[in-house]
Amino acid sequence: MPVVQKLYNACKESFSVVGPLSEEALGKVHSILDDMKPSNVGLEQEAQLSRGWKGAMHGTNGKKVRNGGHQYPPTIKYLHLHECDRFSIGIFCMPPSSVIPLHNHPGMTVLSKLLYGTLHVKSYDWLDLPGTADLSQARPAKLVRDCEMSAPCGTTILYPTKGGNIHCFKAITPCALFDVLSPPYSSEDGRHCSYFRKSPRRDLPGIDELCGIKPSEVVWLEEIPPPENFVVRRGQYKGPVIRH
């Protein structure tokens, strides 16, 4: 049985419309995703190109906007494998220098597996402090990760309130990120994807007493409209067909 079919079957058994049924159920999906390789999803050729990629030989292929201003980052492709009301499965194929901007996953559990390449990830979780829960205002968040990831590496999990639920990625080499979301985004159910940027706001008296974390790990994030230069196009999935 193809690995991607095993993953789908495990997702079907492990996820409900409100997310994972249990930590044990989530662990089943996690272990299968850990074994996922580019060849399991029709991306072996792309992975080989990534392994031979030499950064100095390649310039950015971003496009200038009409007014000659800043460049659009290279376009990301999304390979859609499955989506239902309980989970979604897909792969983001990112060219070098492409960026998935800072965004959240409200009420969602997300498993991510880097199939090939190297990327930089930065992630945050909200700090629940009195009077800071209004999304229309800047909110304080704690830095969770700020590092490079290179394949092969393990699957990462982020939860609704921990693990780095708000994150962004920048591709350093060509790379592919395999994502499983449960439940998937749904504006009707209050799971709308919001985008953020750092706010100039700095004040947070007594943060170290409140949470036991360093002030240097705290940033204020404010919601912004979806960035105009964030472009994702639908790509063609060439791996094994998932049987429902």
Side-chain angles (χ1 to χ4, degrees):
M1 183 188 294
V3 178
V4 74
Q5 183 69 49
K6 285 183 188 172
L7 178 74
Y8 169 80
N9 294 349
C11 287
K12 213 162 81 163
E13 292 169 4
S14 302
F15 296 135
S16 72
V17 292
V18 293
L21 295 170
S22 65
E23 274 296 324
E24 185 186 3
L26 187 62
K28 287 180 186 173
V29 177
H30 184 282
S31 63
I32 295 169
L33 201 47
D34 258 348
D35 292 334
M36 190 70 71
K37 296 177 176 59
S39 56
N40 299 140
V41 286
L43 290 173
E44 182 54 41
Q45 194 175 350
E46 289 83 351
Q48 284 179 1
L49 287 170
S50 175
R51 285 191 282 270
W53 189 82
K54 299 286 187 291
M57 293 163 58
H58 294 252
T60 175
N61 60 342
K63 298 185 180 80
K64 284 192 177 177
V65 291
R66 276 184 204 144
N67 63 9
H70 64 277
Q71 289 187 322
Y72 276 86
T75 303
I76 295 163
K77 282 185 184 171
Y78 179 73
L79 313 183
H80 172 83
L81 277 71
H82 176 77
E83 182 165 343
C84 61
D85 60 356
R86 292 185 285 165
F87 61 93
S88 67
I89 305 174
I91 305 168
F92 288 94
C93 295
M94 301 177 65
S97 302
S98 62
V99 173
I100 296 177
L102 196 62
H103 64 284
N104 68 346
H105 306 83
M108 299 156 68
T109 300
V110 181
L111 298 95
S112 296
K113 165 77 173 179
L114 186 62
L115 295 175
Y116 61 80
T118 299
L119 54 70
H120 186 270
V121 58
K122 197 175 243 192
S123 65
Y124 305 89
D125 284 323
W126 293 123
L127 283 173
D128 287 324
L129 303 181
T132 62
D134 184 359
L135 261 183
S136 66
Q137 305 291 323
R139 287 181 65 187
K142 178 194 173 185
L143 181 67
V144 176
R145 302 182 86 191
D146 185 3
C147 61
E148 282 187 13
M149 292 171 61
S150 293
C153 56
T155 302
T156 60
I157 305 181
L158 58 88
Y159 299 87
T161 59
K162 64 179 182 177
N165 188 278
I166 310 144
H167 64 192
C168 58
F169 299 103
K170 181 171 184 178
I172 295 165
T173 73
C175 59
L177 197 62
F178 193 115
D179 269 358
V180 178
L181 282 60
S182 179
Y185 284 114
S186 169
S187 295
E188 291 174 12
D189 299 306
R191 297 188 301 274
H192 173 71
C193 183
S194 300
Y195 295 90
F196 301 91
R197 69 181 174 200
K198 281 188 188 179
S199 163
R201 187 169 172 179
R202 289 279 181 272
D203 62 296
L204 209 57
I207 185 70
D208 46 349
E209 290 101 47
L210 280 168
C211 306
I213 60 171
K214 298 172 188 170
S216 60
E217 292 178 346
V218 177
V219 297
W220 288 84
L221 300 177
E222 57 188 14
E223 188 173 349
I224 58 170
E228 281 184 19
N229 63 353
F230 177 46
V231 180
V232 178
R233 293 212 169 91
R234 182 69 71 96
Q236 186 182 358
Y237 170 64
K238 297 175 182 174
V241 175
I242 293 174
R243 304 197 179 280
H244 300 166

